[in-house]
Amino acid sequence: MIHLILKLATGGRAAASMATFLVGGMLLFRLSPYAALKTLLDDASLPEETITSPDRLAEVLETLGTAGRASYLQFQVWDLANPILMGVAGAMLLGWLLERANRANSTWRFVVLLPVVLLATDLLENLVISIAVGAFPDRAALGSALPLVTAAKFSAAIATFVAAILLAFAWLRGRLFPAPRAAP
């Protein structure tokens, strides 16, 4: 998988995937039931926006009511696009930066897996929330895994961001202060 990501990651693909992520994310939150859900919750965070305990998830689902839970389930379907857009954009950006920073053949190459972890944990989070919404009010199905999955998602997102910054600095350092050439 690492080899494939590095092969696919070009500057053009990184830029296109980042632009698609930004525009797609904006459209997702504008066109989906997100704003209506936030209104029902008096602008409180949705469970996927913070590390949420099962008790807090139950409170949110109770507050939403039957129609709100149906909208929340619909939002989970809309939200399937977000991890895909984030994962592809992150992988393309990190792959491209690895090449630019001359780190693609080092142990740094493993950082391209961080956006894959982000994608997988975000999709798993959607599944856990969907199961909890569908099973409500059954408290046994209220996502005791949700805090762990959300913490893993946030950790992968932060690690992806930090890796991108570090690789960008390594690339800039190499361009601004090139290594001296060895004498023949």
Side-chain angles (χ1 to χ4, degrees):
M1 176 173 278
I2 293 170
H3 178 72
L4 178 62
I5 293 170
L6 291 174
K7 182 179 176 182
L8 292 173
T10 63
R13 287 185 180 132
S17 62
M18 290 300 290
T20 303
F21 165 59
L22 294 173
V23 171
M26 181 190 68
L27 290 173
L28 167 74
F29 290 103
R30 291 195 187 266
L31 300 176
S32 75
Y34 178 80
L37 291 167
K38 293 292 279 188
T39 299
L40 287 171
L41 296 173
D42 293 326
D43 270 341
S45 298
L46 292 176
E48 57 265 44
E49 294 175 325
T50 61
I51 297 175
T52 302
S53 71
D55 290 336
R56 174 68 182 134
L57 178 59
E59 290 172 18
V60 167
L61 295 178
E62 181 68 36
T63 301
L64 289 175
T66 303
R69 286 190 297 275
S71 290
Y72 194 31
L73 200 52
Q74 183 184 39
F75 175 69
Q76 293 307 307
V77 174
W78 278 84
D79 195 37
L80 292 173
N82 199 42
I84 294 167
L85 293 172
M86 268 192 304
V88 170
M92 291 299 103
L93 178 63
L94 290 179
W96 179 72
L97 286 170
L98 279 165
E99 290 293 336
R100 301 284 73 68
N102 294 316
R103 301 292 195 284
N105 293 320
S106 72
T107 54
W108 271 92
R109 72 185 176 281
F110 291 102
V111 300
V112 298
L113 296 177
L114 292 170
V116 176
V117 172
L118 173 58
L119 186 155
T121 54
D122 201 343
L123 290 174
L124 183 58
E125 178 186 65
N126 290 356
L127 178 63
V128 169
I129 291 170
S130 296
I131 289 169
V133 172
F136 186 81
D138 181 3
R139 294 192 64 94
L142 283 180
S144 59
L146 184 61
L148 297 172
V149 173
T150 304
K153 174 189 79 171
F154 287 144
S155 296
I158 291 166
T160 298
F161 182 73
V162 169
I165 290 172
L166 292 174
L167 286 168
F169 279 132
W171 173 39
L172 290 173
R173 188 186 71 205
R175 288 188 50 92
L176 296 173
F177 307 104
R181 294 184 185 187

